[in-house]
Amino acid sequence: MSEDEFNFFRRLNNSFLLCTFLNVAFLFAALRNMSRRFAAGSRKYSGTVNAESLCWTPAVNSKSSVCIENMPSEMLIKVFSYLDAISLLQVACVNKRFYQLASDNGIWLKIYSSRFPAKRRIWKNGLLQMETAPLSCAAVEERKPGYWKREYISKQIAAVQVRVMQLVKPVDPYTGLPCKNQKAIKVSGLSWIIVVKDKNEKEHVMETAHLSFKDTSVSIFWDGTSWPCLDVLSTLKLFGVLSLFPDQSTAPSKNGPRRRSLIAEYYLSHLTESSAAVGSDKLVQLFSLNPGLVVGLWKGSNEIAFVMASLHYHQLLERSALGSATVQYSLPPHKPVLDDIDPEYGLHGYDLHLDMHSGKHACMCGTFRNLFCRKGDIENGYLKLTVVSLKDNTKHIPLIGTVGLSWETTAFKGIVKDCCMLDVTVLDETQKPFWCFSAPVCMELSSKVSNLYDYMGHIYTADYVDSEGKVCAELVWLEETKEYFIVSLVLYISIEKVNNWYGTSY
């Protein structure tokens, strides 16, 4: 018999014993209550007479006392001892008494020891060997209630985190990011949820609808008709969710014990007035919230149609797994490596990986090496890195397909044209992620007119700005071929960020 078959029959046997025990317990409880009612009925009768039999009818109490909650605590603890960790945590949600009984140290020490057996060193036949240490009664009696439950859960959380971090160690030489992010997400059972809170402090949980993976980011979509009205909402929180007890053989259960990690919190008050409008079509209007969130509203109303989050792989797994339900995870501060030999240290050696996509379909993907800036090109507190020059038409880049943000609900779908998701990954000269983000950008018609011989058409601009830098792109729309060409692309990186990263003082 294989190990899987043995474990299956062991669980089946435990389930059979538990059912048998419960049936016997209920039978004894029923017989006990029936005998009590019969004894009480022989002394007390109702005042009604059955006309057919001409006999008195005993009064029957309509409220039955046959209930598992009335069982003695010792018997319930014995029943709970047959349950596994997931079932115990679910039982603990029934009421306060079940919570206390399901936290029994004796039960959880047995579960803890089977999952994390204690080892001790012994000398046997002149060799140092390890053997499993037996359970100690003092380990149960000397600990506060719930101690071994907390220890077991803490060990499980740590084991999951270590497993996730090991999966993302290999690095892609082109993007400088972990190359197994998609596999790590699927293997670890990581998912994402949105929790919106209304002005009455009531929470509404939205489970992930579907995912779309790109080279450097993952797009997460939520749709449906159960969104509360925007007028009554105050905040929106984005969480990463990991199962406490992952099992690779089965899909993660939404009803099982899970751990939340706060990624970002957004305030929805005055969303349409304070947030940047990305674009619109005949049905929806899009609004952008930093970082990387797009909220789609039905046009002409404050009803949410869908929400899309685009999360960059840099820090994605850490923020989705290592944070808490209330505090966001933050990477340890970068330690600058000083270089007293290079007079332009921190001004050169940058690599850029750029993705432009609709959320589902790629429009452009490219890598640009050895970007640099001269000291004379530092302006207004920014380092200027020219990626695509207007004068060098050999580096102009076409965008493939229809440029727009795709959206879909259970009933409708569409594409908001002239806007897209921009994924930027800037690496320093040691190939470490220096500046990374994923955000929506819209293409706006410029007042300038193209004077390029090869590109006669309207000029559009697509810009992005945050506290660390700016991205400024110019595109030409060619009516004949129905496509955009990037004719200018410039990165502006904050001098403050450069100085903090490299320990310089420009």
Side-chain angles (χ1 to χ4, degrees), residues 314-315 334 336 346 350 381-383 426 428 432-436 466-469 492-504 506:
H314 180 54
Q315 297 187 25
H334 173 75
Y350 292 98
Y382 286 99
L383 205 74
V426 179
D428 65 10
K432 290 183 178 180
F434 174 76
W435 181 33
C436 306
D466 66 17
S467 60
E468 297 186 348
Y492 295 90
I493 301 176
S494 168
I495 288 296
E496 181 180 358
K497 177 175 177 59
V498 174
N499 290 336
N500 291 336
W501 188 268
Y502 289 100
T504 55
Y506 289 112

Side-chain angles (χ1 to χ4, degrees), residues 179-236:
C179 58
K180 294 184 179 181
N181 275 305
Q182 184 173 346
K183 180 180 179 181
I185 289 171
K186 291 183 177 180
V187 169
S188 64
L190 178 64
S191 62
W192 294 270
I193 63 171
I194 280 179
V195 178
V196 289
K197 183 182 293 186
D198 60 26
K199 296 176 181 178
N200 295 325
E201 299 298 314
K202 182 180 179 181
E203 292 187 344
H204 307 265
V205 180
M206 307 296 170
E207 298 286 344
T208 304
H210 53 275
L211 308 175
S212 176
F213 293 95
K214 298 294 178 292
D215 283 355
T216 58
S217 70
V218 55
S219 298
I220 313 165
F221 299 85
W222 291 266
D223 54 24
T225 58
S226 57
W227 291 95
C229 181
L230 183 64
D231 294 334
V232 303
L233 297 180
S234 59
T235 60
L236 182 152

Side-chain angles (χ1 to χ4, degrees), residues 335-361:
K335 295 181 179 179
V337 179
L338 300 178
D339 188 339
D340 298 332
I341 300 176
D342 187 356
E344 295 188 343
Y345 181 58
L347 301 182
H348 56 79
Y350 292 98
D351 290 347
L352 167 67
H353 187 85
L354 183 69
D355 284 326
M356 298 180 72
H357 57 91
S358 67
K360 296 182 178 179
H361 308 291

Side-chain angles (χ1 to χ4, degrees), residues 138-377:
V140 178
E141 298 174 355
E142 295 178 358
R143 302 297 185 180
K144 294 181 179 180
Y147 172 83
W148 288 109
K149 172 184 174 181
R150 292 189 295 270
E151 284 293 303
Y152 180 79
I153 293 176
S154 298
K155 277 283 188 73
Q156 283 290 134
I157 292 174
V160 171
Q161 292 175 349
V162 169
R163 185 173 166 218
V164 171
M165 293 303 104
Q166 287 177 344
L167 286 170
V168 295
K169 283 184 178 180
V171 175
D172 189 323
Y174 290 97
T175 64
L177 303 173
C179 58
K180 294 184 179 181
N181 275 305
Q182 184 173 346
K183 180 180 179 181
I185 289 171
K186 291 183 177 180
V187 169
S188 64
L190 178 64
S191 62
W192 294 270
I193 63 171
I194 280 179
V195 178
V196 289
K197 183 182 293 186
D198 60 26
K199 296 176 181 178
N200 295 325
E201 299 298 314
K202 182 180 179 181
E203 292 187 344
H204 307 265
V205 180
M206 307 296 170
E207 298 286 344
T208 304
H210 53 275
L211 308 175
S212 176
F213 293 95
K214 298 294 178 292
D215 283 355
T216 58
S217 70
V218 55
S219 298
I220 313 165
F221 299 85
W222 291 266
D223 54 24
T225 58
S226 57
W227 291 95
C229 181
L230 183 64
D231 294 334
V232 303
L233 297 180
S234 59
T235 60
L236 182 152
K237 292 183 179 180
L238 176 61
F239 290 94
V241 179
L242 272 178
S243 174
L244 286 183
F245 313 125
D247 184 359
Q248 296 186 35
S249 62
T250 59
S253 172
K254 295 180 181 179
N255 298 323
R258 302 189 296 174
R259 181 175 181 271
R260 294 181 181 180
S261 176
L262 179 63
I263 297 175
E265 181 176 4
Y266 308 89
Y267 296 93
L268 300 180
S269 300
H270 311 292
L271 171 68
T272 55
E273 293 85 4
S274 59
S275 302
V278 179
S280 63
D281 60 10
K282 294 180 180 179
L283 294 176
V284 299
Q285 188 172 12
L286 306 185
F287 293 90
S288 172
L289 292 171
N290 190 36
L293 194 75
V294 176
V295 179
L297 302 181
W298 293 114
K299 209 164 186 180
S301 72
N302 278 344
E303 298 290 336
I304 298 177
F306 66 92
V307 173
M308 183 184 78
S310 185
L311 304 179
H312 198 279
Y313 283 149
H314 180 54
Q315 297 187 25
L316 172 65
L317 288 170
E318 293 91 335
R319 292 170 62 191
S320 300
L322 303 183
S324 70
T326 55
V327 179
Q328 301 178 32
Y329 173 80
S330 58
L331 284 175
H334 173 75
K335 295 181 179 179
V337 179
L338 300 178
D339 188 339
D340 298 332
I341 300 176
D342 187 356
E344 295 188 343
Y345 181 58
L347 301 182
H348 56 79
Y350 292 98
D351 290 347
L352 167 67
H353 187 85
L354 183 69
D355 284 326
M356 298 180 72
H357 57 91
S358 67
K360 296 182 178 179
H361 308 291
C363 301
M364 191 276 287
C365 179
T367 301
F368 306 88
R369 304 284 190 183
N370 297 320
L371 302 178
F372 63 91
C373 173
R374 302 298 183 191
K375 287 186 178 181
D377 292 333

